[in-house]
């Protein structure tokens, strides 16, 4: 099921929608669908943490201004336990 209005919201708007509708899973589904559709051309996302996101939703998301909003993590200086670390790739000469 798509969330057609997804592109009309900024992050704060998506968080407010998630709070009102109590459907962060629906927003996550739309973000994943859009990533799957666009990433073959962009090649920007190398690893999805969908399971981690769904577990967080099931456990109850903490309050905050971006509650329920999916986001990307740049792997330059960040690592997550149990997730692949792409920083170890040899530099191009």
């Amino acid at each position: 099921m798509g969330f057609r209005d997804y592109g009309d919201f900024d992050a704060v708007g998506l968080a407010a929608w998630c709070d009102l509708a109590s459907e962060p899973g629906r927003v996550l589904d739309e973000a994943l669908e859009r990533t799957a559709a666009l990433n073959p051309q962009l090649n920007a996302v190398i690893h999805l943490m969908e399971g981690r996101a769904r577990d967080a939703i099931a456990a109850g998301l903490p309050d905050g201004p971006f509650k329920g909003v999916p986001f990307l993590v740049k792997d330059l200086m960040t690592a997550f336990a149990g997730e692949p670390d792409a920083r170890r790739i040899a530099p191009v000469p």
Side-chain angles (χ1 to χ4, degrees):
M1 172 189 345
F3 175 35
R4 289 184 229 193
D5 298 327
Y6 181 92
D8 295 338
F9 290 96
D10 62 6
V12 175
L14 281 173
W17 188 90
C18 283
D19 192 41
L20 287 173
S22 298
E23 293 192 59
R26 189 170 168 203
V27 175
L28 176 61
D29 291 340
E30 184 65 24
L32 290 168
E33 286 175 22
R34 288 176 182 234
T35 299
L38 296 173
N39 198 52
Q41 293 83 25
L42 299 174
N43 195 27
V45 179
I46 61 168
H47 178 69
L48 295 174
M49 296 193 299
E50 179 181 355
R52 206 176 264 247
R54 294 201 187 281
D55 289 348
I57 290 170
L61 297 171
D63 286 329
F66 300 113
K67 180 179 180 179
V69 178
F71 60 91
L72 297 174
V73 176
K74 183 69 178 150
D75 63 351
L76 291 176
M77 299 300 286
T78 306
F80 281 89
E83 302 295 340
D85 185 354
R87 295 177 297 164
R88 302 198 198 294
I89 297 172
V92 177

